[in-house]
Amino acid sequence: MADTKSNKAVLITGGSRGIGRAIAIHAAKASYDIIFSYRTNLDAATSLYDELHALGAKAHGVQADVSTEAGVIRLFQFADEATGRIDSLVNNAGNVAPSSRVDSFSAARVNDLLALNVLGPILCCREAVKRMSTLYGGRGGNIVNISSIAASLGSPGEYVDYAATKAAIDTLTKGLAKEVANEGIRVNAVRPGIIDTDLHANSGDRKRPFKLQSLIPMQKVGTVDDIAQAVLWLLSDEASYITGSLLDVSGGR
Ligand code: NAP
């Protein structure tokens, strides 16, 4: 029977910094219990934990590398023990590699990106569906995958491999949405444009967002709050007839 007394719980991968952190804060303000994962940055995770508690939220952070199956399983076991329920999953953790042409890619670089940006989200979806689907006695749920507008643009000369991993996320979103539509689960994706986060330092230029501002039709870089608001809306009942959708939040790009 559904427990109507407890808050809904959202699991956010890579919640400690950037877009994931903003999603966690917006979710806390919307009265969700929060489970978030991080990879290595304990200071950032601790400061988010403190911020969520100051907002009055029940929050749980865990170190779990979601580019590995063992990390994904550990994350969901932690969530089971921490909250006993997972109503929503936000597949947010992801990364880019240094800007480069395809003819310079190493197999190791591409494998690392595939593990974090594709394998991890697919395995997180597997674990979420096992807990949410009415087929398994679950109460339904919601999945939002963080893709990228790069999936459509292709990111030539920067990171075509990253763009390809996000195209895989778009296809995952559409296919899984149809697979579980009649099992109480909605699956959607948000496709951010250029957002001001530390991610860009990993491509080799932390100032990249502002250097590319003129390419954005709205002529402004997006904020983490722009993305978090779209995610929270997709998770809400206001979006209850929406599944399999890719929502571009990119200033028109
Ligand atoms: P970010 O600022 O670099 O933050 C990344 C977060 O993910 C951190 O909390 C990091 O943890 C965590 N993380 C990284 N690798 C992980 C792993 N293996 N296991 C678990 N957690 C891991 O990145 P962001 O810009 O917020 O990006 C978030 C998502 O948005 C990504 O999927 C990205 O592709 C997508 N996106 C971003 C932009 C943009 O312009 N920023 C545009 C389109 C799409 P630590 O703190 O421990 O490192």
Side-chain angles (χ1 to χ4, degrees), residues 13-21 36-42 44-45 62-68 91-96 116-117 146-150 159 162 165-166 190-200 202 208-209 224 227:
T13 67
S16 55
R17 292 187 293 116
I19 291 169
R21 186 183 184 98
F36 68 91
S37 70
Y38 63 99
R39 181 187 45 181
T40 51
N41 193 328
L42 179 59
V62 60
Q63 192 285 327
D65 181 350
V66 293
S67 69
T68 69
N91 265 317
N92 167 74
N95 210 347
V96 292
L116 177 57
N117 292 5
I146 305 299
S147 174
S148 171
I149 200 69
Y159 26 65
Y162 169 80
T165 65
K166 293 302 186 179
V190 169
R191 305 203 309 172
I194 301 174
I195 310 300
D196 181 21
T197 73
D198 291 340
L199 176 103
H200 301 281
N202 302 334
R208 176 182 176 272
V224 292
I227 306 306

Side-chain angles (χ1 to χ4, degrees), residues 75-253:
L75 171 59
F76 278 79
Q77 283 175 346
F78 174 86
D80 290 340
E81 287 161 21
T83 62
R85 61 183 289 174
I86 301 170
D87 300 280
S88 302
L89 163 69
V90 182
N91 265 317
N92 167 74
N95 210 347
V96 292
S99 273
S100 162
R101 284 168 47 99
V102 171
D103 46 18
S104 299
F105 288 176
S106 68
R109 164 196 166 112
V110 179
N111 267 327
D112 286 351
L113 277 180
L114 286 167
L116 177 57
N117 292 5
V118 182
L119 176 67
I122 291 175
L123 295 180
C124 286
C125 285
R126 178 188 76 187
E127 295 305 310
V129 168
K130 285 199 277 190
R131 287 159 176 81
M132 295 172 180
S133 170
T134 53
L135 202 64
Y136 296 105
R139 68 183 107 202
N142 237 301
I143 298 174
V144 174
N145 296 318
I146 305 299
S147 174
S148 171
I149 200 69
S152 289
L153 299 173
S155 304
E158 289 197 308
Y159 26 65
V160 168
D161 47 1
Y162 169 80
T165 65
K166 293 302 186 179
I169 290 300
D170 291 356
T171 304
L172 167 69
T173 301
K174 286 179 172 289
L176 181 60
K178 290 174 183 157
E179 198 167 288
V180 296
N182 200 25
E183 297 170 26
I185 306 175
R186 295 190 294 110
V187 187
N188 292 290
V190 169
R191 305 203 309 172
I194 301 174
I195 310 300
D196 181 21
T197 73
D198 291 340
L199 176 103
H200 301 281
N202 302 334
S203 75
D205 187 356
R206 178 62 181 86
K207 296 200 172 76
R208 176 182 176 272
F210 297 96
K211 289 182 180 166
L212 297 182
Q213 191 156 264
S214 63
L215 299 178
I216 303 168
M218 288 179 77
Q219 300 285 301
K220 63 176 185 182
V221 171
T223 68
V224 292
D225 293 322
D226 292 327
I227 306 306
Q229 283 157 4
V231 170
L232 265 292
W233 178 71
L234 281 171
L235 293 180
S236 77
D237 289 343
E238 290 177 13
S240 62
Y241 196 54
I242 299 176
T243 196
S245 289
L246 312 177
L247 177 57
D248 293 352
V249 185
S250 59
R253 199 152 181 242

